């Protein structure tokens, strides 16, 4: 397994790999890896010849007062997991090289990024699209793997890839959950044991919505209310949003269309913001 820090070195190697006929798969991450990240590596191992995983805590996707300074880091642990999982190249660029003095170009997706998480975190998706465009130009993947856990991010990045003509295929990995149903997230490490117990209501609330659909209820508002009332049972949970949306556009929908509609939600547990979703 190669570990590369320099942008030039990474870009030269990707060019060489492409010229040699190697199909490159790429997993962009912010590190503190868990089984969800690694399931994306597994997806690409099946479909590509060389898997690159990047670790970069991207400062410009964090708003003022968010958790950039305390975002968890464990590079040694990450390297071990990457090695065990068969990652070929780990790319760990430096912030000062990624955003050189004078960096003044940002990429803004104007539609999908505006609602849901974009409302609470206004510059977040601009940070995500900008860093991903840069990483795509550096790592030059044929295929990129993204997690369904960040459903809105998937739609925003697919839109950017189409709009900016990146010759990249997107594969989307299912949400990887703990045994008790909590979606894996680097941010789960912030939770106290009491908060961790309350966090179980997140998945429980999604399943309450799903259950209604199973009983034939197809009204989005009714589903949302069921989700909200389950979340309210947890003392420490504050709602950011709960919506029923079209999974391909992230637009709110009144009527559920099976396999096309999804519940998306974001909640606060004290200062920890967690997101989750379920395709109905
Ligand atoms: P992050 O390090 O949080 O930026 O995530 C990097 C990639 O891993 C993104 O494409 C996420 O959607 C994906 N990811 C994060 N958590 C999970 C999970 N629990 N299951 C599957 N993929 C995930």
């Amino acid at each position: 397994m190669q570990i590369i820090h320099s942008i030039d070195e990474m870009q030269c190697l990707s060019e060489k790999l492409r010229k040699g006929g190697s199909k490159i798969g790429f997993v962009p991450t912010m590190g503190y890896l868990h089984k969800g990240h690694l399931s994306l590596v597994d997806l690409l191992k099946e479909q590509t010849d060389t898997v690159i995983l990047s670790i970069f805590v991207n400062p410009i996707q964090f708003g003022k007062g968010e958790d950039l300074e305390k975002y968890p880091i464990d590079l040694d642990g990450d390297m071990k997991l990457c090695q065990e999982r068969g990652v070929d190249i780990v790319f760990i660029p430096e912030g000062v090289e990624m955003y050189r003095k004078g960096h003044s170009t940002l990429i803004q997706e104007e539609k999908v990024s505006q609602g849901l998480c974009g409302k609470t975190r206004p510059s977040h998706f601009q940070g995500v699209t900008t860093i991903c465009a840069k990483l795509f130009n550096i790592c030059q993947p044929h295929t990129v793997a993204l997690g369904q856990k960040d459903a809105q991010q998937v739609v925003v990045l697919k839109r950017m890839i189409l709009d900016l003509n990146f010759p990249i295929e997107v594969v989307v990995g299912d949400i990887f959950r703990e045994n008790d149903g909590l979606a894996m997230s680097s941010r789960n490490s912030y939770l106290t044991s009491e908060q961790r117990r309350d966090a179980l209501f997140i998945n429980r609330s999604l399943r309450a919505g799903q259950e209604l659909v199973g009983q034939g209820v197809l009204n989005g508002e009714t589903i949302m209310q069921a989700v909200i009332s389950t979340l309210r049972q947890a003392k420490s949970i504050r709602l950011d949003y709960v919506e029923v949306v079209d999974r391909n556009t992230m637009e709110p929908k009144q009527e559920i269309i099976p396999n096309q509609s999804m519940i998306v939600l974001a909640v606060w547990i004290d200062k920890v913001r967690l997101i989750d979703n379920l395709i109905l």
Side-chain angles (χ1 to χ4, degrees), residues 1-251:
M1 185 176 84
Q2 259 180 290
I3 299 170
I4 296 180
H5 295 280
S6 146
I7 292 177
D8 279 350
E9 199 184 323
M10 184 67 251
Q11 206 165 30
C12 286
L13 179 56
S14 293
E15 266 163 30
K16 210 169 109 192
L17 285 164
R18 283 182 85 99
K19 280 199 187 120
S22 180
K23 188 170 176 197
I24 301 176
F26 177 50
V27 186
T29 83
M30 297 207 296
Y32 208 70
L33 302 179
H34 51 66
K35 288 179 184 157
H37 296 115
L38 300 174
S39 67
L40 299 178
V41 172
D42 293 344
L43 268 183
L44 291 178
K45 294 287 291 176
E46 284 170 15
Q47 301 182 17
T48 63
D49 305 309
T50 306
V51 175
I52 305 175
L53 180 143
S54 67
I55 297 178
F56 183 63
V57 182
N58 176 33
I60 70 164
Q61 72 186 66
F62 290 77
K64 274 207 186 91
E66 291 187 355
D67 55 342
L68 172 63
E69 270 80 33
K70 62 168 188 179
Y71 197 82
I73 298 174
D74 176 14
L75 276 184
D76 289 344
D78 289 351
M79 290 310 104
K80 202 164 159 271
L81 291 172
C82 285
Q83 179 95 52
E84 282 167 9
R85 213 57 169 228
V87 171
D88 299 291
I89 301 165
V90 186
F91 177 48
I92 316 174
E94 302 287 343
V96 282
E97 216 203 340
M98 206 38 123
Y99 296 111
R100 283 179 196 283
K101 202 160 168 270
H103 185 286
S104 58
T105 305
L106 297 167
I107 292 181
Q108 174 73 48
E109 191 285 329
E110 296 277 3
K111 197 169 174 201
V112 191
S113 63
Q114 302 303 298
L116 307 172
C117 288
K119 277 208 176 119
T120 317
R121 308 182 72 192
S123 58
H124 170 67
F125 286 113
Q126 186 181 69
V128 171
T129 42
T130 301
I131 192 63
C132 283
K134 286 165 74 68
L135 288 168
F136 293 167
N137 283 328
I138 296 164
C139 299
Q140 301 177 46
H142 296 85
T143 308
V144 64
L146 303 171
Q148 180 62 27
K149 159 91 185 339
D150 297 85
Q152 188 177 11
Q153 173 169 284
V154 169
V155 182
V156 169
L157 287 175
K158 278 185 172 171
R159 192 69 249 171
M160 179 192 81
I161 285 170
L162 260 179
D163 291 349
L164 299 186
N165 306 96
F166 282 101
I168 297 177
E169 186 198 349
V170 177
V171 293
V172 180
D174 291 340
I175 302 179
F176 216 92
R177 297 180 180 279
E178 304 284 359
N179 287 337
D180 58 14
L182 180 65
M184 287 194 182
S185 163
S186 310
R187 290 189 165 101
N188 292 348
S189 63
Y190 298 145
L191 300 172
T192 65
S193 51
E194 200 176 321
Q195 292 169 340
R196 176 74 181 66
R197 270 196 298 279
D198 272 1
L200 294 181
F201 281 87
I202 299 171
N203 183 241
R204 226 171 266 169
S205 73
L206 293 171
R207 283 192 285 118
Q210 171 81 301
E211 219 164 276
L212 281 184
V213 177
Q215 291 163 16
V217 178
L218 295 178
N219 179 275
E221 186 59 39
T222 312
I223 306 292
M224 266 159 53
Q225 288 313 321
V227 174
I228 291 170
S229 70
T230 307
L231 287 170
R232 292 237 160 93
Q233 292 171 37
K235 252 199 279 164
S236 63
I237 289 185
R238 275 184 301 127
L239 284 193
D240 181 354
Y241 65 78
V242 175
E243 287 280 359
V244 173
V245 298
D246 181 297
R247 66 187 283 197
N248 298 312
T249 62
M250 292 290 133
E251 279 169 9

